[in-house]
Structures are given as C-alpha cells and as structure tokens.
Amino acid sequence: MAARQRASLRLPPEVNRALYVRNLPFKITAEEMYDIFGKFGAIRQIRLGNASDTRGTAFVVYEDIFDAKNAVDHLSGFNVCGRYLVVLYYQQTKMQKRLDTEREQKELADMRQKLGLDSGDRGLDLSSK
C-alpha cells in the first residue's frame, strides 16, 4: 500500500536523491553522519568536505528519493553539537553557475591587474560630463 501511495505522489522538480548539508561541526565523522542521516533510509554515499573552504559541508546521497525528501523535511534546522544543520537538495546547475561566476571574477581581476586597471573608475572625474 505504501508503495502505491509513493508512486502516485508528485514531488517538486528540485527534489532529488542527493542532499547538500551545510553548517556541520568540523569534527563530525562519517559514522556520525551515517547515524544521523541513516534513520531516514538507505544511504548510497556520504562525502564530507575536508578542504579549508569545504569544511562543515557534506553531500549525502540516498538510494530512494522519498527517503531524501523525508531527511530534508526532518533534518533542516536539526541541532548537532550546538549547530543547526542546513539541508538542501543538491542542484548541479546552481552550483555550476556559482563556480562559473567565481572563475569569471578571478579571470577579470587577473586581466585588470595585468593591464594595470586596478584603480577602476576611482581615478576619473565622471561628474563633469
């Protein structure tokens, strides 16, 4: 019966099996992550961020999309070691746009430095026009 109800349930388009988790304690282990997120269903994979800019984040991939939805519904705002988790559905297009924007800003800064345009408009008097 539950399988029939799940099959007829329509989910929003952003719902998927991969979750992006932020605001994790830096000292959390993969075993603790499995304990927290495993209560909502079978987990395929957990990836903890270990670089300086990715610490405190993780990706959790569930076997079933409904388990992932249940985890987001119950764990967003969950307190772990004094920190409130931010659990979101992973959206590759948004992440790729952010990475592209950061790369373009870096290229622009490098080109400005190379051409000696670091001052921008500060050196020009634009009020006389």
Side-chain angles (χ1 to χ4, degrees):
M1 182 73 172
R4 254 191 240 164
Q5 287 177 339
R6 281 185 169 189
S8 66
L9 183 66
R10 281 192 70 108
L11 295 173
E14 71 271 4
V15 176
N16 62 42
R17 297 178 312 134
L19 305 180
Y20 177 61
V21 185
R22 295 188 334 215
N23 205 31
L24 286 166
F26 290 164
K27 303 265 186 198
I28 197 163
T29 65
E31 291 79 23
E32 292 168 333
M33 290 287 293
Y34 275 100
D35 288 342
I36 294 168
F37 286 86
K39 294 176 181 171
F40 299 98
I43 295 174
R44 177 173 287 185
Q45 183 180 50
I46 291 182
R47 295 267 176 132
L48 284 169
N50 55 6
S52 63
D53 59 335
T54 60
R55 288 180 65 198
T57 64
F59 290 98
V60 179
V61 182
Y62 280 92
E63 294 287 341
D64 184 38
I65 193 169
F66 292 99
D67 295 339
K69 182 182 182 324
N70 196 17
V72 169
D73 292 344
H74 288 91
L75 290 177
S76 290
F78 185 72
N79 190 337
V80 177
C81 298
R83 300 182 74 128
Y84 294 98
L85 299 184
V86 177
V87 183
L88 307 166
Y89 297 107
Y90 173 67
Q91 296 175 345
Q92 184 178 4
T93 54
K94 284 188 178 181
M95 288 291 241
Q96 191 61 42
K97 281 182 186 177
R98 190 176 115 215
L99 291 174
D100 289 345
T101 302
E102 288 174 0
R103 181 182 46 81
E104 288 171 0
Q105 287 177 345
K106 184 181 182 308
E107 288 175 1
L108 183 60
D110 291 345
M111 185 152 316
R112 279 186 172 172
Q113 185 177 15
K114 179 181 173 185
L115 297 173
L117 299 175
D118 284 336
S119 63
D121 291 337
R122 287 179 280 162
L124 299 175
D125 182 17
L126 301 174
S127 62
S128 64
K129 292 185 180 183

